[in-house]
Amino acid sequence: MSIWLTPELKPLFGGTYFPPDDRYYGRPGFKTVLLTLAEQWKAKKTVIEEQSLVILRTLQEGTSASEASGQSLPDLKACTETLYYQLERSCDQEDGGFEKEPKFPQPVNFNFLIRLYAKCKGSFSDMANSSLEMATFTLLKMAKGGIFDHISKEFHRYSTDAIWHVPHFEKMLYDEAQLLFSYAEAYQNLQRLFKILLNIS
């Protein structure tokens, strides 16, 4: 992600995955973007500064929720249920994950589902059990698939297919860190579930 700012630190342009030059994907290369921005800054500095103020205002309005603007925080229970049902509908029952290929590891989804299960304190509600099942099923499919580097013990950025088999050969440290928490929390809660089941039987 690249963001260009004015000297006063107001955003004027942003984008992601700029290729090194103009030969790739029909998109302007990083050098072309830099040269174009430099030319525009020299030719239309005042216009660009005005546009950067509009961008900043729009970003600020989009990220603030206050009583003054008539907005209030949404109901936690309703948000939780909405997110759960969205994940349940999009969950791939055969191969795990929450979308079609390419499939990305999504630790924020795993953490939500595992914590939703944990919050239920072991009650066997359908939502609680399904939450843990969706998360752990996907985590297991990922660990067994090609997205997991079985030699260096790290995860690739994403799988190019629906079955976690063919990885995109790139690794992201933030994914590794977040997935570590997801797998640890899944393990903790599965241990807890086994203990509950043993006590019942």
Side-chain angles (χ1 to χ4, degrees):
M1 184 71 177
S2 302
I3 303 286
W4 284 268
L5 307 174
T6 66
E8 293 77 30
L9 304 181
K10 293 180 176 60
L12 61 94
F13 184 72
T16 185
Y17 289 115
F18 293 108
D21 55 52
D22 298 344
R23 293 180 296 162
Y24 303 93
Y25 320 114
R27 297 183 62 195
F30 193 76
K31 293 175 212 162
T32 301
V33 172
L34 290 176
L35 291 171
T36 303
L37 284 171
E39 289 167 11
Q40 292 294 315
W41 182 255
K42 287 177 191 168
K44 301 177 182 178
K45 182 179 176 185
T46 307
V47 173
I48 290 173
E49 286 178 327
E50 288 171 6
Q51 288 174 340
S52 71
L53 285 171
V54 172
I55 293 169
L56 183 61
R57 245 183 274 121
T58 304
L59 289 170
Q60 288 171 333
E61 288 169 7
T63 57
S64 65
S66 65
E67 289 181 20
S69 65
Q71 296 176 337
S72 59
L73 293 175
D75 177 63
L76 180 61
K77 185 176 186 294
C79 286
T80 300
E81 289 179 359
T82 299
L83 178 54
Y84 166 79
Y85 288 118
Q86 285 175 346
L87 291 173
E88 184 185 48
R89 273 192 307 274
S90 65
C91 186
D92 181 340
Q93 300 296 324
E94 274 188 50
D95 298 301
F98 303 98
E99 57 192 26
K100 298 182 190 297
E101 71 275 357
K103 282 189 175 173
F104 287 79
Q106 297 174 318
V108 68
N109 289 345
F110 305 140
N111 296 346
F112 166 77
L113 291 167
I114 293 165
R115 290 169 191 178
L116 179 60
Y117 168 79
K119 187 171 170 50
C120 293
K121 304 290 184 202
S123 67
F124 290 107
S125 73
D126 291 340
M127 189 183 289
N129 289 338
S130 178
S131 294
L132 188 63
E133 188 178 318
M134 281 190 282
T136 54
F137 178 67
T138 299
L139 289 167
L140 287 170
K141 285 288 192 175
M142 286 169 45
K144 290 180 178 180
I147 190 174
F148 182 61
D149 184 337
H150 294 269
I151 296 172
S152 69
K153 308 297 182 199
E154 297 165 335
F155 284 91
H156 293 283
R157 178 74 182 97
Y158 61 88
S159 174
T160 61
D161 59 11
I163 60 172
W164 306 103
H165 183 67
V166 182
H168 172 78
F169 292 99
E170 175 184 27
K171 295 176 183 176
M172 312 300 278
L173 286 176
Y174 62 82
D175 279 338
E176 307 301 334
Q178 291 180 90
L179 285 169
L180 181 64
F181 280 98
S182 297
Y183 277 96
E185 288 187 348
Y187 176 80
Q188 287 173 332
N189 282 285
L190 283 172
Q191 292 294 313
R192 186 173 141 215
L193 179 60
F194 291 145
K195 285 178 185 173
I196 292 167
L197 289 170
L198 287 171
N199 287 337
I200 289 172
S201 59

